[in-house]
Amino acid sequence: MGSSTRSCLLLLALVVLVHGAARSRSANNRFPDDFLFGSATAAYQVEGGWNADGKGESIWDHMLHEHPEYSADRQNGDVADDSYHLYKEDVRILKEMGMNHYRFSIAWTRIMPTGEANNINQAGIDYYNNLINELLDNGILPVVTMYHWDLPQWLQDLGGWTNPIIADYFEDYARVLYENFGDRVKWWITLNEPLTFVAGYSNDGYFIQPPWINKPGVGDYLAIHHLLIAHARAYHLYDEQYRATQQGKVSITIQSDWYEPLTNSTEDIAAADRARQFYLGMIAHPIFSTEGDYPAIVRELVDKKSKAEGRTRSRLPVFSKEMVEYIRGTYDFFGLNYYTGKLVTSGETGKNPSRDRDSEVVTSVDPSWPASSVSPWLKVVPWGFRKLITWIHENYNAPDILITENGFSDAGTLEDTDRISYFKSHLTELLKAVYVDGANVIGYTAWSLLDNLEWNKGYTQRFGVYYVNITDPARPRIPKASSQFLKELIQAREIPQD
Ligand code: GBE
């Protein structure tokens, strides 16, 4: 290469660089070209067909059949949005919006009715094959959650996530999924929101969910311990036996609020950091941090209190050095669900013992924050989204972050302007995290594609960008204004400015 060619290339590189920097400073409402847009659902919330074609009973089937009174409107997932029969409709509306990906979950009991690998239900395999093929035929990437809270009841009878044997069963399940779908599914999420579903073992009073066992500060910690191992088993299995041929990604989805210090006092700043460690780091630190294992402050406080309670060992089980290493780094991206934020100060709250009590934090919200009219917990705190993304970027080695859920609830109006402004403000903050803070956010997944069974809140809290009338047996999918908003946003690849 001649020297003039070389300086020409240098100059070109310089122009590209300067141009790139100018673009990121100015055009900050534009999404990167390879940014993924999608929408999400979960099996129990949309599928129905609860016992169709050999499906087994899950803990949600079990609980809401036994206890219809646990549900706000006495509804359950028996039929839900009937996606078991209407999946082609779901794919059609995803395509209508121009979605790049669809995050859905597989019902473990549809594939393995009891959770055991010697009993595979072919009709379940067929259903997900049909859904996956329909997505791919329409140019939509499947992003598949293995576990969105619907454990086989058979495994729950053995103690569910509190029994260490669960890791064997989860690995078997993951193997069946990689074997059957891994040729076409390249994005896997092992578990959805561990800290949400382990509350089924701590019965802490606000979210009634199976197995609804009242052992706070003990049962939830056991479940956390074993689910981290189960996740790592599924990850290593992929690494060792499937990655080379299937070349996909495996990770986990973690939900966290943003925890903002109530005041700028040293005490509140420390309390907010403790909250992040107890409510995000508890799962994220063992997997995503450089050191691995539970956060030091979590270990310290739970051990100290356990001792003071006269116990011979900590309520939070201890990982061996080998297990710390085995779990550390078991991710290909960071799956993040964000909905809301909290203010934090130090203090004592919650049952004794409990994770809340162990954390020595008290949370509150600012009464001036706008809120969902139907979900008391859902305050609109978009700036918390940016802070959370950036905190993860800075504390966990700048992972690729896929937003796997973000969304807003109402009673089900078609002119859902509040949902549109929620999306808009959160996407604006997301882009600040990308362009100003340098976070590697690779995609955004709106919760949810459809109004669906909001767990024990039934259909009283609706998150869909499509409306579903659950008294109509045909369950037609009716677009809300927010679906049009997303469609235009995805087409323009930038946030509309008014
Ligand atoms: C996600 O969880 C779930 O992954 C998804 O399945 C769900 O549909 C979506 O959010 C919308 O909620 O009595 O109203 O105060 C609060 C988000 C329960 C985290 C709600 C449990 C938020 C954790 C109960 N919270 N959720 S109450």
Side-chain angles (χ1 to χ4, degrees), residues 45 148 192-193 206 339 377 405 447 454-455 457 463:
Q45 297 182 271
H148 201 125
N192 179 65
E193 297 191 355
Y206 35 86
Y339 287 89
W377 57 274
E405 285 180 35
W447 184 272
E454 179 58 15
W455 306 106
K457 305 298 180 214
F463 284 83

Side-chain angles (χ1 to χ4, degrees), residues 42 45 103 148-149 192-193 196 205-207 209 255 257 337 339 374-377 405 447 452-457 461 463:
Q45 297 182 271
R103 175 179 178 234
H148 201 125
W149 310 352
N192 179 65
E193 297 191 355
T196 305
Y206 35 86
F207 177 28
Q209 60 176 317
Q255 190 274 142
D257 299 344
N337 291 358
Y339 287 89
V374 293
S375 307
W377 57 274
E405 285 180 35
W447 184 272
N452 58 49
L453 185 90
E454 179 58 15
W455 306 106
N456 74 316
K457 305 298 180 214
Q461 303 183 7
F463 284 83

Side-chain angles (χ1 to χ4, degrees), residues 34-38 101 401-404 430 440-445:
D34 50 0
F35 192 87
L36 296 169
F37 288 100
H101 67 277
I401 299 173
L402 177 63
I403 305 304
T404 41
L430 181 156
N440 305 316
V441 186
I442 58 173
Y444 176 86
T445 316

Side-chain angles (χ1 to χ4, degrees), residues 114 162 328 356 381:
T114 58
T162 61
R328 194 174 66 89
D356 286 344
V381 192

